[in-house]
Amino acid sequence: MRRASALIAITLALAIGTTPIAAQQDKLAAQKADAVKGVDEMAKLAQEMVDSVFSFGELGMQEVETSKYLTAQLEKFGFKVTRGQSGIPTAWIATFGSGKPVIALGSDIDGIPQSSQKPGVAYFDPLIPGAPGHGEGHNTGVPLNIIAAVAVKRVMERDKLPGTIIVWPGVAEELVASKAWFVRDGMFKDVDVNLFAHVGANLGVSWGQGGGTGLVSKEYTFEGETAHSAGAPWRGRSAEDAVELMSVGWQYRREHLRLSQRSHSVITNGGDQPNVVPRLASIWFYFREIDQPHIKELVEIGDKMAEGAALMTNTKVTSRILGTAYPQHMNKVVAETMYENIKKVGLPTWSEQDQTLAKGLQKELGNANIEGLAVKLGELGKPVDLENNTGGGSDDIGDISWNMPTVTLRYPANIPGLPGHNWSSGIASATPIAHKGVVAGAKVQAMTSLDLLTKPELVQGAWDYFNNEIG
């Protein structure tokens, strides 16, 4: 009887030109269209959130007003917020729904030192001279995810879709000081897929190990003894001398390191005043390489160099790790799914004013190419062989990518060809360029979330790839 009923249903479906699979696809397409419409309807809110977070411009671990504002927005839309994740006061997690699948939407929220900048002004003009600002564009990502999450939530409520949506912030990403701790403390233990978002100059996503590096952030502190710098300098042991010797030693060693490494340092404590031999002094290094064994090797070289500097100056040395970021490996199945949505959304329509600002800044910076904003989508990003990876930046989303299926959506909320970590990256970050890029990115995040919520085979495929290629 059941077989007969099934055959009748299939026959009827064929007779009216549809199948259960086609009907499911049509329903998902309609849900995505509703989510996209919902994002468009919240475009004004997106602009307000982007500009508000820009105005705070808070450094890592100091994102107090930023987190207060963003969590208030989430609570207003019915998300449950838990604060103080991993003992970090500005870290939080916001959830809606219950059960599987669990889809997490993350992005960073911290600013950059000395990058205060008036938005829309195509030359250096700080809001507050010397103050921090959003010289990386981290004011745009969580607003993007909030808009996407709210649009998806409304579809879930209306259609009674099972699953859980999580929104979370990358705290102190510029210090790579939170995501590894989130993983350690089980913040993502039930998450099926993590959809990360980071500001860029085009709309894109990639899979596999891309370009760039992982890193270890480590500070070395030397301890000597004070003395009068003029009266009895022979009775002192200068910790500052040790710092300077370690620094110059690293510059000599740099010639003999791999081309793919990136290493840099700042002196965080160089003594108190010239007439006192410094008892304490510290130097802070970022050791970057393209894979874990070579990152470890760089740290070991740094440790030996610190010991040598201490021996040369008759001082003692201690060290502490301040942050880590593992090289990234993004999920192929999720990236391919997201890229299909990217093609459907497309790039924003830039106004003449948008392009004029972009080209004006590119000219101001002396760029070789004055091309303005992106008008053509790039291809789906593919893995970069280790032999062809010449190094670059890092992001502690890498630590998450090795623990669950993860991708990073790049969304076009900034101007191409900028140096990064610079006042120039703040120029577009609270203008229509950023607002339009955030709306486009929110549509992609919402559509991809709905794919994952309604297609169990996608989540399973993502984990199959993860377990075979990473796990």
Side-chain angles (χ1 to χ4, degrees), residues 14 16 106 111 120 125 158 207 209 236 243 253 270 329 352 378 402 418 442 455:
L14 290 171
I16 61 175
D125 191 7
R158 183 195 67 195
W207 64 272
Q209 181 158 332
V243 160
R253 185 62 181 267
H329 190 115
E352 182 180 347
W402 288 87
L418 307 185
K455 295 182 177 179

Side-chain angles (χ1 to χ4, degrees), residues 220-440:
Y220 298 89
T221 296
F222 295 87
E223 180 180 353
E225 186 53 86
T226 60
H228 195 298
S229 298
W234 53 86
R235 297 186 67 175
R237 290 179 285 116
S238 174
E240 181 192 7
D241 287 351
V243 160
E244 292 183 359
L245 284 166
M246 182 176 182
S247 177
V248 74
W250 189 267
Q251 309 318 320
Y252 278 106
R253 185 62 181 267
R254 189 189 300 276
E255 177 187 358
H256 309 288
L257 299 174
R258 286 160 34 108
L259 294 176
S260 54
Q261 72 87 28
R262 298 286 190 278
S263 51
H264 13 267
S265 63
V266 293
I267 295 173
T268 53
N269 178 8
D272 299 305
Q273 57 192 59
N275 64 334
V276 180
V277 173
R279 180 174 180 270
L280 294 174
S282 302
I283 185 168
W284 178 17
F285 275 87
Y286 273 16
F287 299 110
R288 304 187 198 241
E289 253 284 9
I290 61 175
D291 58 20
Q292 191 275 336
H294 287 101
I295 298 170
K296 184 171 181 286
E297 182 180 303
L298 282 184
V299 175
E300 290 170 349
I301 293 171
D303 290 347
K304 290 177 182 177
M305 204 162 287
E307 292 170 6
L311 283 171
M312 285 187 284
T313 54
N314 193 25
T315 57
K316 298 177 183 178
V317 63
T318 57
S319 63
R320 58 177 182 153
I321 291 177
L322 301 179
T324 65
Y326 214 84
Q328 303 169 40
H329 190 115
M330 297 304 175
N331 192 272
K332 182 180 182 182
V333 174
V334 181
E336 289 175 341
T337 300
M338 178 174 279
Y339 189 70
E340 290 303 310
N341 292 319
I342 285 172
K343 290 191 292 185
K344 290 182 174 69
V345 171
L347 285 165
T349 300
W350 307 117
S351 69
E352 182 180 347
Q353 291 85 354
D354 297 335
Q355 290 288 12
T356 298
L357 177 61
K359 291 176 182 179
L361 178 58
Q362 291 165 343
K363 183 178 180 180
E364 173 74 11
L365 295 174
N367 288 13
N369 297 315
I370 313 297
E371 298 178 347
L373 300 166
V375 294
K376 181 181 179 182
L377 290 174
E379 299 295 323
L380 173 65
K382 304 291 177 61
V384 177
D385 294 334
L386 288 177
E387 308 85 67
N388 298 321
N389 186 350
T390 55
S394 316
D395 190 316
D396 49 355
I397 190 62
D399 293 87
I400 294 173
S401 74
W402 288 87
N403 283 274
M404 70 203 66
T406 302
V407 297
T408 294
L409 168 69
R410 295 278 176 172
Y411 56 94
N414 218 323
I415 295 169
L418 307 185
H421 291 187
N422 181 261
W423 55 268
S424 59
S425 292
I427 288 172
S429 294
T431 70
I433 294 172
H435 307 150
K436 294 173 186 178
V438 162
V439 168

Side-chain angles (χ1 to χ4, degrees), residues 79-280:
F79 285 77
K80 178 184 176 183
V81 176
T82 304
R83 296 171 173 83
Q85 292 293 321
S86 295
I88 300 172
T90 55
W92 45 268
I93 187 169
T95 60
F96 165 78
S98 61
K100 292 285 194 174
V102 180
I103 312 301
L105 309 179
S107 194
D108 301 318
I109 59 173
D110 56 326
I112 295 284
Q114 300 191 47
S115 63
S116 175
Q117 173 64 30
K118 292 176 182 176
V121 178
Y123 54 86
F124 180 52
D125 191 7
L127 286 164
I128 303 173
H134 276 290
E136 174 78 354
H138 283 176
N139 60 302
T140 55
V142 172
L144 181 159
N145 283 337
I146 291 175
I147 295 296
V150 172
V152 171
K153 173 179 178 285
R154 289 171 175 169
V155 174
M156 292 174 69
E157 288 175 321
R158 183 195 67 195
D159 295 348
K160 297 181 172 52
L161 295 179
T164 305
I165 296 291
I166 291 174
V167 181
W168 62 276
V171 171
E173 184 275 332
E174 299 301 344
L175 307 177
V176 291
S178 68
K179 297 186 185 82
W181 283 262
F182 293 164
V183 171
R184 179 199 67 183
D185 295 337
M187 181 167 152
F188 303 115
K189 62 183 174 62
D190 296 320
V191 170
D192 291 292
V193 176
N194 229 310
L195 302 179
F196 196 66
H198 195 283
V199 61
N202 205 322
L203 199 56
V205 68
S206 62
W207 64 272
Q209 181 158 332
T213 59
L215 73 82
V216 168
S217 164
K218 194 166 187 177
E219 184 181 51
Y220 298 89
T221 296
F222 295 87
E223 180 180 353
E225 186 53 86
T226 60
H228 195 298
S229 298
W234 53 86
R235 297 186 67 175
R237 290 179 285 116
S238 174
E240 181 192 7
D241 287 351
V243 160
E244 292 183 359
L245 284 166
M246 182 176 182
S247 177
V248 74
W250 189 267
Q251 309 318 320
Y252 278 106
R253 185 62 181 267
R254 189 189 300 276
E255 177 187 358
H256 309 288
L257 299 174
R258 286 160 34 108
L259 294 176
S260 54
Q261 72 87 28
R262 298 286 190 278
S263 51
H264 13 267
S265 63
V266 293
I267 295 173
T268 53
N269 178 8
D272 299 305
Q273 57 192 59
N275 64 334
V276 180
V277 173
R279 180 174 180 270
L280 294 174

